[in-house]
């Protein structure tokens, strides 16, 4: 991709050089290069027009871009992108200086060369400026996240902003699946070592907003394996920092997210990846408090009852319900000393008998 862009840019500059050479030859044939007085007024008009044209070329797209970014991502994000205007305004400053200098040579013997220098500078700086503006105007969420990564003051700030942008993008009518997956991978990579992540409440508030967008607001459903890993990392982060109350709130949201995914996929494909593994699986690895395991068990009982209702109205088959029961039973098979787990086992046993599920081996 970069090689193709370089080739296009090289082709453009070759075309500009050929245009200047042809124009110089024409002036030479007509003898205008030996008549500086001919270029007095062209330099003034052309120099003035160039400065105004560059000003409009920079101001109009950037105004539209700022309005779009502010309405889509908010003023906080726009402030982080203020350095994006340095490059085009630097070009504008150079063009203004060149134009001012060449216009000052209108009544001198160097008028011809001043005009050619003005024309060359105008054509040379035009392609990179247009390319930059097009790239800016077509900036996607992935580009926004990359810029945020470079400009964020801390890892926590980057995660907060990335989750905010991801949520907004998922709520769009036709989001790009590849872009969302790429953003999720970037966030996952940033959170790969939860031990080094500081306890920053804004991080889990933004993640809660993301889960709420999926569970309540009907947002686009991302790749379930990426979501599974992200949910597990967040739960591990909360458990390691002893945020039990917040962890319990997230267990409830995980259940709601799992139910939302079940609207489009079979429960047996979701219950393990988007509920049991990010909760009970994490608790087992980190030796979490029994109170958390008990609460996750209560929410699992609630989830099984909701799936059972779907089975009773014919939304899922009895065989599918039996698969869900088998998966759940396997996850709780090594937990013995918690009362809520005993209640869950009784529920699973009763449902197995009602549904005449195949015996366990």
């Amino acid at each position: 991709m970069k090689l193709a862009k370089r080739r296009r840019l090289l082709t453009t500059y070759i075309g500009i050089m050929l245009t200047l050479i042809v124009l110089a030859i024409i002036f030479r044939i007509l003898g205008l290069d030996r008549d500086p007085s001919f270029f007095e007024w062209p330099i003034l008009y052309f120099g003035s027009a160039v400065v105004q044209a560059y000003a409009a070329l920079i101001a109009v797209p950037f105004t539209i871009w700022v309005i779009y970014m502010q309405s889509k991502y908010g003023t906080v994000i726009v402030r982080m992108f203020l350095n994006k205007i340095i490059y085009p305004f630097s070009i504008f400053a150079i063009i203004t200086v060149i134009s001012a200098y060449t216009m000052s040579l209108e009544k001198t013997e160097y008028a011809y060369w001043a005009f050619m220098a003005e024309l060359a500078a105008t054509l040379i700086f035009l392609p990179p400026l247009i390319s930059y503006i097009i790239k800016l105007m077509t900036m996607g969420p992935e580009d926004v996240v990359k810029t945020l990564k470079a400009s964020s003051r801390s890892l926590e700030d980057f995660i907060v902003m990335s989750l905010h942008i991801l949520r907004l993008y998922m709520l769009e009518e036709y989001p790009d699946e590849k872009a969302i997956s790429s953003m999720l991978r970037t966030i996952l990579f940033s959170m790969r070592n939860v031990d080094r992540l500081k306890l920053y409440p804004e991080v889990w508030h933004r993640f809660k907003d993301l889960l709420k967008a999926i569970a309540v607001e009907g947002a686009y459903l991302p790749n379930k394996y990426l979501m599974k890993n992200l949910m597990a990392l967040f739960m591990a982060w909360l458990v390691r920092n002893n945020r039990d109350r917040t962890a319990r709130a997230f267990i409830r949201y995980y259940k709601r997210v799992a139910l939302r995914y079940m609207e489009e996929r079979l429960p047996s494909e979701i219950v393990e990846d988007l509920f049991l593994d990010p909760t009970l699986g994490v608790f087992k690895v980190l030796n979490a408090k029994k109170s958390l395991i008990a609460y996750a068990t209560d929410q699992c009982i609630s989830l099984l009852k909701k799936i059972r209702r779907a089975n009773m109205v014919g939304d899922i088959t009895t065989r599918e319900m039996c698969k869900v029961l088998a998966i759940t039973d396997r996850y709780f098979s090594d937990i013995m000393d918690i009362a809520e787990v005993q209640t869950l086992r009784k529920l699973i046993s009763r449902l197995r008998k009602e549904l005449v599920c195949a015996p366990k081996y």
Side-chain angles (χ1 to χ4, degrees), residues 279-347:
T279 56
L280 196 67
V282 172
F283 297 157
K284 288 180 179 180
V285 172
L286 299 181
N287 294 318
K289 297 176 182 177
K290 290 184 179 180
S291 59
L292 281 178
I293 298 176
Y295 191 78
T297 306
D298 279 337
Q299 291 301 307
C300 185
I301 292 171
S302 173
L303 180 61
L304 287 179
K305 289 179 178 179
K306 290 181 181 295
I307 299 173
R308 172 57 174 157
R309 289 194 201 103
N311 168 244
M312 293 175 69
V313 298
D315 288 341
I316 61 171
T317 63
T318 298
R319 182 178 181 182
E320 180 64 22
M321 187 67 210
C322 290
K323 283 184 181 179
V324 173
L325 294 173
I327 292 170
T328 307
D329 190 41
R330 174 167 52 84
Y331 258 80
F332 286 89
S333 60
D334 56 347
I335 304 175
M336 301 294 179
D337 56 345
I338 297 177
E340 287 79 3
V341 175
Q342 300 302 324
T343 303
L344 174 65
R345 286 205 179 94
K346 290 178 182 178
L347 174 65

Side-chain angles (χ1 to χ4, degrees), residues 27 32 35-43 111:
F27 286 152
L32 297 176
D35 183 14
S37 62
F38 176 81
F39 294 95
E40 291 179 6
W41 289 108
I43 287 177

